[in-house]
Amino acid sequence: MNRNTHARPIPLDDIRYFECEGVVDDGSYDHYTGRLFQVPSLAVARANRLATLCYRRKVSITKSCLYLCFTPALPDGVVRLTDFRREVWQRYVMYGLPLSFNQGDEESRVERVWMATLQSLREIVPSEQIESVDEAASLVEAGGEDLRFPLASAKTKTHLAELAYTMPTWPGMARLLLTVTDRSSLVHGTCVLFESKLSDECGFVGGKVKIIDGNVIARPAASSQGRYYAKLNNVSSFVVSIESLLQGKASVIRNPHEADEA
């Protein structure tokens, strides 16, 4: 099966790991990893980070979600493309993995799954997007748990304010971070505005940022998801003094959600 470079460019935004005793084309039942293959949480976190970066780079596999399905029924390291799917947004790829995979330590299993993920993506993305996948992978590898995903920024003649969030390995907490930099001295400070078990929640709670009268004001995204999470977490804005943040003594003022907010 050849990669289709003319299919509608739907950005990849999710990567999931499944497993199957046979191959899905032959009717074998597939399910999340855990029975046949013990995939570490760090491998799943890496996949989430990679998918988010691919989405921002508009990398397309013609569907929004990659279901990478490991199976001992194929030779080790063999990628098998398939048209199988249960939903229109799914793109299945079979990948040969021996049951001896579980005998490896956590680090080796993480690296094996990572290699399989990149190998599979390179098989199905348009050839001109392979470089984008490799660039995203390099960022994931270099950033690790501290990798930040930018959300919004604002600047004046004197200061730059940036919002970003992290995507932790389960069961770690995702963090919504505010960083302010003095554009003259390059002195900077960072504080945590919000934490959640859900990375997406941090992304919607921190959608906008402004610098007003020596303060940075961060607000939820002006989308339906932003309004939903603002109400759910009872927050309309976060206010931080620039001076206190740059001095390492930031205190975050969290203003409650207002029922009539649009």
Side-chain angles (χ1 to χ4, degrees):
M1 182 184 298
N2 297 322
R3 61 169 60 95
N4 184 355
T5 59
H6 302 292
R8 187 162 61 95
I10 302 171
L12 170 67
D13 67 6
D14 195 7
I15 298 173
R16 303 185 186 188
Y17 296 129
F18 271 53
E19 63 187 19
C20 181
E21 292 184 354
V23 291
V24 291
D25 306 75
D26 297 335
S28 294
Y29 178 70
D30 65 294
H31 43 77
Y32 280 104
T33 53
R35 300 179 192 175
L36 297 175
F37 302 108
Q38 303 300 317
V39 173
S41 296
L42 176 54
V44 176
R46 276 186 163 190
N48 291 336
R49 296 165 192 157
L50 179 62
T52 299
L53 291 175
C54 284
Y55 180 83
R56 293 183 174 205
R57 285 164 171 73
K58 294 181 171 55
V59 171
S60 175
I61 61 170
T62 72
K63 306 295 179 183
S64 64
C65 183
L66 170 62
Y67 276 54
L68 183 53
C69 191
F70 299 117
T71 178
L74 293 176
D76 186 9
V78 168
V79 176
R80 176 169 169 176
L81 307 187
T82 173
D83 292 325
F84 174 86
R85 68 174 188 234
R86 288 193 172 86
E87 304 289 347
V88 296
W89 40 267
Q90 297 172 340
R91 177 73 188 270
Y92 269 77
V93 173
M94 301 298 302
Y95 189 92
L97 200 63
L99 294 176
S100 59
F101 166 85
N102 295 325
Q103 298 172 10
D105 59 21
E106 180 171 331
E107 182 178 358
S108 66
R109 284 181 286 135
V110 168
E111 291 305 317
R112 186 69 182 87
V113 171
W114 183 240
M115 183 184 74
T117 305
L118 297 180
Q119 182 183 347
S120 299
L121 280 173
R122 292 181 185 122
E123 286 283 337
I124 58 177
V125 301
S127 56
E128 65 270 17
Q129 292 189 333
I130 291 177
E131 183 176 356
S132 293
V133 171
D134 290 343
E135 290 173 351
S138 295
L139 289 174
V140 171
E141 293 167 359
E145 294 294 305
D146 295 323
L147 181 62
R148 297 183 185 184
F149 297 85
L151 290 168
S153 65
K155 65 182 179 180
T156 64
K157 292 181 179 180
T158 55
H159 295 96
L160 170 66
E162 299 171 288
L163 283 180
Y165 70 102
T166 62
M167 302 181 71
T169 300
W170 181 264
M173 299 288 283
R175 297 174 297 160
L176 173 62
L177 303 172
L178 169 66
T179 298
V180 173
T181 302
D182 184 308
R183 299 180 67 189
S184 175
S185 66
L186 299 184
V187 171
H188 65 274
T190 299
C191 67
V192 178
L193 298 181
F194 180 78
E195 291 184 309
S196 172
K197 288 289 187 182
L198 303 175
S199 299
D200 287 348
E201 189 168 21
C202 286
F204 290 120
V205 168
K208 299 181 291 184
V209 64
K210 290 183 178 181
I211 300 175
I212 301 175
D213 297 331
N215 294 317
V216 175
I217 302 174
R219 298 183 184 277
S223 61
S224 58
Q225 296 98 323
R227 292 190 293 272
Y228 170 78
Y229 284 116
K231 183 177 181 180
L232 181 67
N233 292 284
N234 190 29
V235 59
S236 65
S237 65
F238 304 92
V239 181
V240 179
S241 162
I242 291 177
E243 181 178 0
S244 66
L245 180 54
L246 294 180
Q247 292 176 352
K249 298 180 283 188
S251 61
V252 178
I253 299 174
R254 177 170 167 164
N255 293 317
H257 180 266
E258 298 178 10
D260 60 350
E261 283 188 352

